[in-house]
Amino acid sequence: MKFGVDYYPEHCPSDIWEWDADQMRGMGIDLVRMAEFAWSKMEPEEGRYDFGWLDRSIEILNSRGIKTVLGTPTAAPPVWLMEKHPDIFPVNASGMRVSFGGRHHDCQSNETYRTHIRRFVREMALHYKDHPAVIGWQTDNEFGNSHQQLCYCDSCRSRFQQWLEQRYGAIEALNEAWGTVFWSQTYARFDQVPSPMPTPNSHNPSHLLAWKRFCSDLIVDFQRVQVEILREICPHHFITHNFMGFFDKTDYFELARDLDFISHDQYPMLFLEERIKRSSPAHLGMALDLMRGTKEQSFWIMEQLAGPTGTEILGSTPRPGQIRLWTYQSIAHGADTIVYFRWDTALVGSEQYWHGILPHSRIPGRRHAEIKQTIQELAPHMDAFKGGLPGSEVGIVFSYDQEWAMQIQPHHPDLHYVKHLYSYYQAFFDKNVPVNLVSDKADFSAYKVLIAPLMFLSNPGLSCKLREYAAAGGHLVLDIRAGVKDWDNAVHAATLPGDYAELAGVKIEDYDCLRQFGQGIRWIGNGEVTESANLWCDIITLDGAETLAEYTEEFYANTPAITRNSYGGGFAYYVGTQLGPLTMETLVAELVRASGIRGIAESVDGVEITRRKGEAGEYLFVLNHNASAAEIEIPAGWQALVCGAGQLQDGALKLPAYGAALFHSDSIEETA
């Protein structure tokens, strides 16, 4: 299965289903995902099941060689269920119970709801367990979507209290870990601990972090209810779920554990306003690399943008070539299967302007032709690197615990976890150095360079892992706010960077949140690399380390800003501020030089080069993210597989705006 589309036969007349299937087959579509929001269509009233319409659609598609992935429809419980059990509606942070009319209008801790899920998922699985056209399942849809401020009902509070008791054992242990003596918050029993709804002031940060962890664990447990049923009844079907990049409600490393592989929804032009534009090529690559890192394996794209996105407000229309380019990028970063969202654009409902391959008229147009071309180009080659990874020598530690803790107390209002990690990622991306985003539980030994940013929380096991990594010859980068707190989000009574002080060879006895005052940074020995320090400055005293860069202003001018410490067979770097692009580029160049890693090949600005390894060599993707043509030199030994509208002559490749090309090499001469 290489290319697919999300299909909603319940949204259109049945007399056009065969036409749809013919058109899909003509494009090269292998599979569809269906039914993830169709509970009321499959069970119009309790206990009365109607799978006939879905059976017919599956058969029509299967007769054209198109297989089906079914979604369990638990993100959209039907109105008859909600009328009978209104306690299933979730409660928001203000204590208001939400209403029917959207999706995800469910409390995931509610036992009545879970009972209905078990009943329906079992019935659906039994119906399709032996169907030759059904190959796998997607659980629910985008877990956590719409649940950011949900749910604070009595059921969730009770489960939270049970979760706390399992974690701490005794209420005295919780009081000690959270420091509840502050503001007279000491509890005598677990059932006194509230869900953290609004208070006149701030909540205890340990309480807030525990709640975030509980909410994530609740979603993991909610999914497991369905996974266990599907594993029992459909042992030969795969199980996946569609993740959402940097969405932070759920720890995706934990959610991924119960799945055969993860899927991802990739929307480069999503209209939501964010601190990092989703259409940034490096940001798109970073999201894909995190998805690959959740199980450290290849994955599916379950929803790849096929047109402008929108509900009440629309995003921009993809320019000619961009859908093809983004498909190439998803595959380049580890996607084995691309499923476009969606086939036809809905005429009804909330997503009437979330455009599919076909417009409202259903007349195939420019985007249809571009996707068809993309499928025809790539499909013949994808088996060669199926399951292949990029062979990254750089790892960036991504931790939901650290992100949650920094959300609770960011210190500077503009200090944003993902954006901070992105500053490192982009510098390697610009050098065409493949990067893995990995859990703090991963094996670090495969990486010559390991970036461990914003390690705000520390625990003995993690601190030991990082020391062992550096001692074994690794190049470790730590930075601001490292070692400040324990794993329960309480401050260590130690000189910063706490558990990492010996490793980094520095002491931090003071720091400066850059709100009213500015600061500069200068790389030692290169006076030209001078720019502003950003957001935060640790005021560093050397304790065995050497200075690589120093501050230029205020009372701590000429003191260390970036340091390097020899530790065992390797090095630990400490970055005392958020770096601007020039200083970051210089730091990454130093890491590349010192560790011996090299980029895949050199390219001009806006042209990404990445790779996937296969049994017969390596496959190189050259992606022009620019709105104008770009030219690069192709290394000797690269054989062109797909150039599209690109022109390859005398070793030079000229790609048009948003152009993409695919090459093969038995072995790569790394030149960057």
Side-chain angles (χ1 to χ4, degrees):
M1 301 293 102
K2 299 170 186 175
F3 289 94
V5 68
D6 300 302
Y7 186 44
Y8 299 90
E10 69 270 28
H11 295 175
C12 57
S14 59
D15 59 5
I16 63 173
W17 292 356
E18 297 214 15
W19 183 88
D20 283 342
D22 288 337
Q23 292 295 311
M24 291 179 196
R25 186 68 266 172
M27 290 185 70
I29 294 294
D30 301 306
L31 68 111
V32 297
R33 180 196 67 180
M34 293 195 292
E36 76 276 12
F37 293 118
W39 191 338
S40 65
K41 185 78 171 173
M42 291 183 283
E43 189 182 15
E45 59 185 58
E46 185 172 357
R48 182 168 70 85
Y49 303 101
D50 179 8
F51 297 111
W53 65 274
L54 186 55
D55 293 343
R56 181 176 173 232
S57 180
I58 291 172
E59 290 297 340
I60 288 171
L61 292 160
N62 190 43
S63 68
R64 277 77 169 174
I66 300 171
K67 301 302 182 184
T68 294
V69 177
L70 291 172
T72 61
T74 52
V79 68
W80 60 258
L81 176 58
M82 306 311 291
E83 283 182 332
K84 187 173 182 179
H85 302 287
D87 59 312
I88 294 174
F89 284 115
V91 173
N92 65 25
S94 299
M96 297 179 61
R97 196 172 289 276
V98 304
S99 184
F100 191 83
R103 67 183 191 186
H104 291 109
H105 44 271
D106 57 272
C107 168
Q108 293 170 329
S109 76
N110 186 282
E111 276 302 327
T112 300
Y113 187 45
R114 289 184 175 213
T115 297
H116 279 278
I117 287 172
R118 291 184 185 98
R119 175 187 57 77
F120 181 81
V121 171
R122 179 171 293 276
E123 191 72 26
M124 190 177 180
L126 286 169
H127 188 83
Y128 289 108
K129 67 185 181 70
D130 296 320
H131 199 298
V134 176
I135 60 172
W137 297 83
Q138 174 192 290
T139 57
D140 203 271
N141 186 79
E142 297 180 338
F143 277 127
N145 190 333
S146 310
H147 274 82
Q148 276 290 37
Q149 299 303 318
L150 303 172
C151 168
Y152 294 80
C153 72
D154 291 342
S155 173
C156 285
R157 176 178 175 175
S158 177
R159 278 189 178 263
F160 177 47
Q161 292 162 349
Q162 294 168 24
W163 183 91
L164 292 171
E165 187 166 11
Q166 291 172 357
R167 186 178 183 90
Y168 291 101
I171 195 65
E172 293 80 8
L174 180 148
N175 285 325
E176 179 68 21
W178 289 12
T180 56
V181 66
F182 188 82
W183 282 355
S184 191
Q185 292 174 356
T186 304
Y187 302 106
R189 306 181 312 276
F190 283 102
D191 64 11
Q192 293 177 326
V193 182
S195 303
M197 298 172 77
T199 72
N201 301 99
S202 300
H203 270 290
N204 184 320
S206 298
H207 188 168
L208 291 175
L209 181 57
W211 176 257
K212 285 179 177 287
R213 286 169 169 161
F214 159 73
C215 289
S216 177
D217 285 355
L218 178 64
I219 291 172
V220 172
D221 181 70
F222 183 79
Q223 175 179 254
R224 190 168 294 141
V225 169
Q226 303 183 42
V227 169
E228 289 174 351
I229 294 170
L230 295 171
R231 293 266 183 242
E232 173 196 347
I233 298 173
C234 306
H236 303 299
H237 292 169
F238 65 74
I239 304 175
T240 188
H241 178 76
N242 52 334
F243 291 12
M244 296 178 288
F246 294 110
F247 190 78
D248 56 25
K249 179 74 170 180
T250 313
D251 184 331
Y252 279 159
F253 295 108
E254 295 300 319
L255 191 66
R257 291 182 187 277
D258 290 332
L259 302 172
D260 294 300
F261 56 86
I262 73 99
S263 299
H264 169 56
D265 295 349
Q266 183 81 338
Y267 287 108
M269 279 188 164
L270 195 63
F271 55 84
L272 298 177
E273 185 176 331
E274 294 190 348
R275 300 180 193 216
I276 307 170
K277 292 182 178 179
R278 286 178 182 253
S279 57
S280 158
H283 183 260
L284 295 173
M286 184 177 168
L288 293 164
D289 289 348
L290 175 61
M291 297 297 93
R292 190 181 66 242
T294 56
K295 288 182 77 71
E296 298 185 78
Q297 67 181 48
S298 58
F299 56 95
W300 279 28
I301 299 292
M302 196 60 84
E303 297 182 17
Q304 179 81 39
L305 177 144
T309 59
T311 49
E312 292 79 23
I313 299 172
L314 272 68
S316 298
T317 296
R319 273 34 190 170
Q322 282 191 309
I323 296 175
R324 175 178 177 270
L325 171 68
W326 292 327
T327 302
Y328 271 72
Q329 189 184 35
S330 291
I331 294 170
H333 285 262
D336 284 338
T337 300
I338 301 292
V339 182
Y340 292 97
F341 188 88
R342 46 181 278 173
W343 173 243
D344 55 335
T345 308
L347 301 177
V348 296
S350 177
E351 294 182 348
Q352 296 171 35
Y353 292 102
W354 205 288
H355 291 72
I357 294 175
L358 298 181
H360 290 119
S361 67
R362 302 183 73 84
I363 299 173
R366 173 180 66 83
R367 291 181 286 105
H368 175 279
E370 184 174 317
I371 292 171
K372 181 177 180 179
Q373 173 198 347
T374 303
I375 293 172
Q376 292 173 344
E377 288 177 351
L378 283 169
H381 305 290
M382 289 174 65
D383 284 337
F385 49 79
K386 181 180 179 181
L389 302 179
S392 306
E393 296 180 306
V394 176
I396 297 179
V397 179
F398 190 98
S399 167
Y400 290 92
D401 293 286
Q402 307 293 353
E403 181 176 16
W404 293 331
M406 293 305 300
Q407 287 172 351
I408 293 164
Q409 291 177 313
H411 304 307
H412 193 290
D414 295 329
L415 182 54
H416 182 261
Y417 183 79
V418 173
K419 186 174 182 179
H420 185 78
L421 270 62
Y422 175 75
S423 65
Y424 289 98
Y425 181 91
Q426 184 176 24
F428 287 105
F429 180 92
D430 289 345
K431 289 182 173 292
N432 296 316
V433 175
V435 173
N436 283 351
L437 271 69
V438 298
S439 163
D440 54 21
K441 298 179 180 66
D443 178 7
F444 300 150
S445 63
Y447 304 108
K448 292 182 178 179
V449 172
L450 183 70
I451 313 296
L454 291 174
M455 300 299 283
F456 194 47
L457 310 175
S458 63
N459 63 53
L462 179 56
S463 303
C464 182
K465 271 186 72 174
L466 293 174
R467 287 194 296 270
E468 289 174 350
Y469 167 79
H475 291 71
L476 173 68
V477 177
L478 297 164
D479 68 8
I480 55 174
R481 310 313 287 140
V484 174
K485 293 195 172 193
D486 66 20
W487 211 246
D488 287 297
N489 211 15
V491 174
H492 283 301
T495 300
L496 296 177
D499 289 354
Y500 305 115
E502 178 193 7
L503 173 59
V506 299
K507 292 181 179 179
I508 300 165
E509 297 176 342
D510 205 355
Y511 40 72
D512 189 11
C513 185
L514 300 180
R515 303 294 300 281
Q516 294 175 284
F517 304 96
Q519 183 56 272
I521 185 171
R522 176 178 57 243
W523 196 269
I524 299 295
N526 188 347
E528 294 181 2
V529 182
T530 301
E531 63 183 333
S532 294
N534 299 313
L535 306 183
W536 183 274
C537 292
D538 284 327
I539 301 174
I540 298 170
T541 300
L542 298 178
D543 191 22
E546 61 177 314
T547 301
L548 297 182
E550 62 186 12
Y551 297 119
T552 62
E553 300 176 26
E554 292 292 335
F555 67 94
Y556 50 101
N558 304 316
T559 66
I562 304 175
T563 63
R564 178 177 57 200
N565 187 45
S566 177
Y567 191 86
F571 294 91
Y573 296 76
Y574 192 88
V575 180
T577 186
Q578 186 174 92
L579 302 181
L582 291 177
T583 314
M584 181 63 78
E585 181 182 0
T586 305
L587 173 63
V588 166
E590 166 62 23
L591 291 168
V592 166
R593 181 201 62 77
S595 66
I597 62 175
R598 305 183 74 179
I600 297 170
E602 293 181 346
S603 64
V604 297
D605 288 347
V607 175
E608 174 189 0
I609 302 177
T610 190
R611 69 183 173 213
R612 291 183 66 174
K613 296 190 174 184
E615 292 184 3
E618 297 179 325
Y619 295 82
L620 296 307
F621 295 78
V622 183
L623 312 174
N624 180 18
H625 295 280
N626 296 300
S628 57
E631 184 172 320
I632 68 164
E633 294 296 319
I634 297 300
W638 288 24
Q639 295 90 41
L641 300 178
V642 180
C643 285
Q647 299 174 2
L648 180 62
Q649 187 173 4
D650 298 328
L653 174 67
K654 186 173 183 180
L655 284 173
Y658 309 122
L662 174 64
F663 292 81
H664 171 260
S665 176
D666 295 326
S667 61
I668 296 176
E669 180 183 354
E670 296 175 327
T671 60

